[in-house]
Amino acid sequence: MSKYNTLWEYVQNNGSHSFKLTFEEIQNISGIPIDHSFLKYKKELTKYGYQVGKISMKNQTVIFNTIG
């Protein structure tokens, strides 16, 4: 089980084709702060039908998009 499974399930259940979450929202959902390991773990999201579109360090946001 990945430390981001709760976040991936949230993303999958959102149902939107594309949406944005702040780093703070991601921490509230997953229970852990976003860190550099997120770059490694984000590959797991494809199993849930989504991918990370863009990570903005300036705005502290992550955009999630459906695959395909």
Side-chain angles (χ1 to χ4, degrees):
M1 181 167 152
S2 165
K3 67 180 187 176
Y4 287 105
N5 274 0
T6 305
L7 175 62
W8 304 153
E9 290 170 5
Y10 175 89
V11 170
Q12 183 181 42
N13 292 330
N14 180 282
S16 297
H17 291 292
S18 180
F19 66 98
K20 184 187 303 183
L21 292 174
T22 65
F23 288 7
E24 184 178 351
E25 290 170 323
I26 289 171
Q27 181 173 342
N28 290 339
I29 293 163
S30 65
I32 55 172
I34 193 169
D35 59 21
H36 279 88
S37 73
F38 183 79
L39 298 174
K40 180 181 102 178
Y41 283 100
K42 73 178 186 172
K43 297 172 188 166
E44 299 173 341
L45 188 54
T46 58
K47 296 176 195 170
Y48 295 84
Y50 280 81
Q51 62 188 3
V52 172
K54 181 177 180 182
I55 301 170
S56 172
M57 297 305 288
K58 179 181 176 185
N59 297 321
Q60 295 197 329
T61 58
V62 178
I63 295 175
F64 298 93
N65 299 310
T66 55
I67 296 173

